[in-house]
Amino acid sequence: MNSRKIILFIFIIFSFFSIKAENIFDSYKKKVYCNSKDSMQLELIEKIDSYLSKSGSEEFMPKIVTLSQKNNQLIILDQFEYKIIIFNLNSFTNDTRPLKIIQKSKGKGPNDLVFPIDILYDDIRDRLYVADLNNYNIYIYDNEFNEIKRIKLEFRPYRLFLSLNYLYITPYDSAIDFCVGRIDLNSDALIDGIFEPSKRGNLLEKKARNKLFTVNIDENENKFFVTCNYPDFTIYSINSENIEKAFCNPALIKKKLPKPKFIMFENDKKVWGISAFSDLEYSSSMNLLFTLTTLGWTELAERKSLNRYICIFDEEGNTLCEHKILPYNSGEDSIVFDEKNFVIYYATYRSIWKFKIIKEGQ
């Protein structure tokens, strides 16, 4: 074999492995970064950090919230006090008396909780779903918050999201090589998940260092928003076969997150230092995607000059709003959207921030 053929052969081999190694997400070029003429702003209505109980004004830790548009209720799960606290959406303010307080207890028995990490209210079926991180369970409660059923998982659950027929469960500490769990809501049976691992590898297995956040955006159970967290802030609109587009907040373009570090606590629990997204919320009636960025620890975020943002996108990926939250709040916080009143509730460690969405020019 002469030298020209040898060089050509090496080039072909190198090209082959370069293509194989290329990440399907990183190679996707159709990114949308533009701001839209339909821009929006968030106006802080109130920061709510207490409510009225029989014993007087009481603080809470409302890190996980959901709402029922049908019943006009905001539902808070205080994961440390094991209380479910229900408020009227129209009158929710500081030192409001709740409609109802339901006391649960810590444990693995009926109606007990170990470490609840997410809740979701189902307006169609009038019931509540709770993901219990350390008990590997999804609990189903009726509208009086009595336990109907618990479903055991093979992985620790994290975020929950609903479609017309399914409850989807994002794994807590897995990379994308885990599938997203799925419960058939017509039978309450655990069935095959989506984006399952395969021998040949699917598009979601190409990137293994991510926490996966997904929301369903059509009734055919075929189209999703997926985030790739480390090391950037990219959101992908995909169907079961292909990536349709990729976009992120303009303020976060080219921002790199610090390398995650394990932090050891006295109870021997290891916690990741930081990732990119804490929560996603999608309004199918308005075709709006809401995101909460930068989940992690304050020290790491400050070292890299990272801020937490609530961002609003339209379905095409145009940025309608980028609201910086000051000061930076660490932790696994959440957002919910009140479609009737055009209000976002941002739940963090000791308070709920209530924002009115205002379209610019109004």
Side-chain angles (χ1 to χ4, degrees):
M1 185 180 293
N2 62 36
S3 60
R4 288 185 64 186
K5 288 183 178 179
I6 291 172
I7 293 170
L8 181 60
F9 177 76
I10 291 172
F11 177 78
I12 291 170
I13 294 296
F14 178 79
S15 298
F16 173 78
F17 282 105
S18 296
I19 292 169
K20 293 294 285 183
E22 185 180 45
N23 188 284
I24 190 167
F25 292 107
D26 294 340
S27 64
Y28 195 76
K29 303 300 182 185
K30 296 180 182 177
K31 290 190 176 182
V32 182
Y33 296 131
C34 57
N35 284 300
S36 171
K37 57 180 172 44
D38 299 319
S39 295
M40 300 175 175
Q41 292 182 348
L42 296 188
E43 180 182 286
L44 180 62
I45 300 171
E46 189 176 10
K47 183 181 176 185
I48 301 165
D49 52 22
S50 62
Y51 66 95
L52 283 181
S53 66
K54 292 180 180 178
S55 57
S57 183
E58 191 168 339
E59 294 182 347
F60 52 12
M61 295 186 180
K63 291 174 67 174
I64 45 178
V65 296
T66 187
L67 57 81
S68 168
Q69 296 281 186
K70 174 184 174 182
N71 300 318
N72 203 38
Q73 293 175 349
L74 181 73
I75 302 163
I76 296 169
L77 180 52
D78 187 323
Q79 64 184 155
F80 298 106
E81 294 294 330
Y82 298 95
K83 291 178 183 178
I84 297 171
I85 312 168
I86 306 157
F87 295 93
N88 186 308
L89 272 176
N90 292 340
S91 58
F92 180 56
T93 185
N94 268 307
D95 290 330
T96 301
R97 193 172 298 279
L99 297 172
K100 189 180 294 187
I101 301 175
I102 300 157
Q103 183 68 60
K104 300 293 183 181
S105 57
K106 184 175 182 179
K108 296 185 177 181
N111 277 299
D112 289 346
L113 300 165
V114 178
F115 191 79
I117 196 73
D118 200 14
I119 57 174
L120 195 59
Y121 199 85
D122 185 346
D123 273 337
I124 295 175
R125 296 164 185 85
D126 235 1
R127 59 188 192 177
L128 185 81
Y129 309 105
V130 174
D132 195 324
L133 177 72
N134 289 343
N135 204 24
Y136 290 68
N137 267 290
I138 301 297
Y139 307 132
I140 303 176
Y141 297 93
D142 64 19
N143 58 5
E144 293 297 320
F145 302 94
N146 300 305
E147 187 178 311
I148 299 171
K149 186 176 183 177
R150 56 181 58 190
I151 300 171
K152 189 74 173 179
L153 306 172
E154 294 182 357
F155 56 86
R156 294 201 294 169
Y158 186 44
R159 293 299 186 205
L160 304 175
F161 62 98
L162 277 172
S163 66
L164 192 61
N165 296 307
Y166 300 105
L167 176 70
Y168 295 94
I169 309 127
T170 298
Y172 177 72
D173 52 5
S174 71
I176 287 177
D177 54 349
F178 275 87
C179 68
V180 174
R182 185 167 51 160
I183 293 171
D184 185 334
L185 296 177
N186 299 309
S187 62
D188 289 338
L190 187 64
I191 61 172
D192 289 340
I194 56 172
F195 313 134
E196 291 185 272
S198 63
K199 291 181 180 178
R200 64 181 176 82
N202 64 38
L203 62 87
L204 290 179
E205 291 174 60
K206 304 292 184 180
K207 188 130 179 150
R209 294 175 299 170
N210 289 278
K211 182 162 287 188
L212 177 66
F213 291 85
T214 56
V215 284
N216 180 258
I217 59 175
D218 75 348
E219 292 184 358
N220 296 321
E221 318 290 341
N222 187 49
K223 193 173 180 182
F224 301 85
F225 284 121
V226 176
T227 66
C228 274
N229 280 328
Y230 184 79
D232 58 18
F233 292 81
T234 306
I235 303 166
Y236 296 89
S237 176
I238 70 169
N239 57 40
S240 58
E241 299 293 332
N242 301 300
I243 297 174
E244 297 177 344
K245 61 176 68 70
F247 52 92
C248 79
N249 185 299
L252 303 175
I253 297 170
K254 297 181 180 178
K255 288 266 188 179
K256 296 297 181 182
L257 295 170
K259 184 178 181 180
K261 295 180 180 179
F262 277 124
I263 299 174
M264 183 72 77
F265 283 92
E266 291 180 359
N267 61 1
D268 291 334
K269 288 185 179 179
K270 292 180 179 180
V271 184
W272 279 112
I274 197 165
S275 61
F277 290 90
S278 179
D279 205 5
L280 300 184
E281 177 97 347
Y282 184 70
S283 167
S284 57
S285 65
M286 296 183 178
N287 290 327
L288 295 176
L289 176 68
F290 304 88
T291 69
L292 178 62
T293 68
T294 57
L295 156 70
W297 298 99
T298 306
E299 298 81 17
L300 290 174
E302 288 177 348
R303 195 180 307 159
K304 289 290 181 177
S305 299
L306 292 174
N307 294 295
R308 171 160 269 176
Y309 288 84
I310 295 175
C311 306
I312 306 174
F313 303 94
D314 64 21
E315 195 177 8
E316 295 303 312
N318 299 307
T319 305
L320 308 184
C321 178
E322 49 184 54
H323 184 86
K324 186 186 295 186
I325 298 172
L326 294 173
Y328 174 85
N329 290 301
S330 66
E332 295 176 0
D333 305 338
S334 61
I335 52 175
V336 289
F337 176 53
D338 175 2
E339 298 195 28
K340 290 181 181 177
N341 299 303
F342 226 44
V343 168
I344 290 179
Y345 293 92
Y346 162 50
T348 185
Y349 186 57
R350 289 189 179 275
S351 59
I352 291 181
W353 300 41
K354 187 176 177 182
F355 293 100
K356 182 74 175 179
I357 300 176
I358 301 171
K359 292 184 179 179
E360 290 188 359
Q362 286 188 347

